[in-house]
Amino acid sequence: LGIFENKLVLAAVMGVGSLAILGAGWWVSLRTRFRIAGQALTFLGCVVLPLNLWYYAHVDLVSVDDHLWIGGLICCLLYAATVYVLRDPLFVYAVEAGATLTLTLLLAFFGVASDTSRLALMLMGLGLVSIHAEWAFPPTGELFTRKKFGLPFFWSGHAQVGASLLVLLGTQIVGWL
C-alpha cells in the first residue's frame, strides 16, 4: 500500500512502537510474575529509543541544528522514569549512557563535537558529576540506597572519566604521528 514510504508515518510508527516496547516492559515487569522478561523488554525499549533520533536525523525530519539534543533529553527522562518505576539499578547505566550521548549531541549542536579537547572536558565533567552523584543517595534505607543505586553512578562516572582520558590519549598519539 506504500504507507511506510512516507517518512513521517514511518517516524511516528517507530516512535510509538518504541514507547510501546518500553511501556510493555514496565507492565510485564510490574504486573506479571515474569520480572526478568519485563526487564529484558524494558532494556530493549531503552536501546531502541535513541535509534529513533538517528532515523529522524537520517531522513531530515530533525537535524542536529534543529535541536536534536531535545530528543536525547526526552530519552534520558524516560530512562530516569524507568529507574524510578522499576526500582532497578540496572537502568542507571542507561541513564548515564543517555546523558553522555545527549551532551555529545549538544556539543554537535554548537558545532564543537569534533573538538577533542571539548569532548574530553565534557566527558570528564560528566564523569566527575556521576562519581559524586553516589553521595546523593542515603547509606541505608528501603529503596534508593547508596550501595544499590549510588554505585552504578560511581562506576559509570569512572567509565566516563576513562573515555575522556582515552580521547586525550588518542589525540596525543595522533599529534605525535
Side-chain angles (χ1 to χ4, degrees):
L1 296 173
I3 295 172
F4 293 113
E5 291 178 11
N6 184 346
K7 61 184 177 182
L8 291 173
V9 171
L10 188 56
V13 168
M14 287 174 57
V16 169
S18 298
L19 292 174
I21 290 171
L22 189 64
W26 286 11
W27 184 82
V28 169
S29 186
L30 295 173
R31 302 284 185 212
T32 68
R33 62 186 174 113
F34 304 110
R35 182 162 172 81
I36 294 176
Q39 289 173 333
L41 197 56
T42 303
F43 204 79
L44 177 65
C46 288
V47 169
V48 171
L49 275 175
L51 295 179
N52 290 312
L53 300 178
W54 172 83
Y55 177 75
Y56 300 158
H58 178 71
V59 297
D60 293 327
L61 288 176
V62 179
S63 68
V64 172
D65 295 332
D66 293 332
H67 306 291
L68 186 63
W69 65 271
I70 294 172
L73 181 63
I74 291 169
C75 287
C76 288
L77 293 174
L78 286 170
Y79 294 158
T82 300
V83 171
Y84 182 76
V85 168
L86 297 183
R87 289 163 173 59
D88 189 349
L90 171 70
F91 296 103
V92 170
Y93 296 107
V95 171
E96 287 290 319
T100 303
L101 294 174
T102 300
L103 286 175
T104 306
L105 278 173
L106 193 58
L107 287 178
F109 171 72
F110 289 119
V112 293
S114 61
D115 183 2
T116 55
S117 61
R118 291 184 189 194
L119 180 63
L121 185 62
M122 184 267 306
L123 286 170
M124 183 65 71
L126 187 59
L128 292 174
V129 166
S130 297
I131 288 170
H132 289 90
E134 175 191 11
W135 293 97
F137 297 94
T140 58
E142 293 180 17
L143 293 177
F144 296 101
T145 63
R146 186 174 298 155
K147 184 176 182 181
K148 189 174 181 182
F149 285 91
L151 282 178
F153 279 105
F154 180 78
W155 293 118
S156 296
H158 278 81
Q160 291 159 335
V161 168
S164 172
L165 294 174
L166 285 175
V167 167
L168 288 175
L169 177 65
T171 303
Q172 286 297 317
I173 289 173
V174 168
W176 291 333
L177 295 177

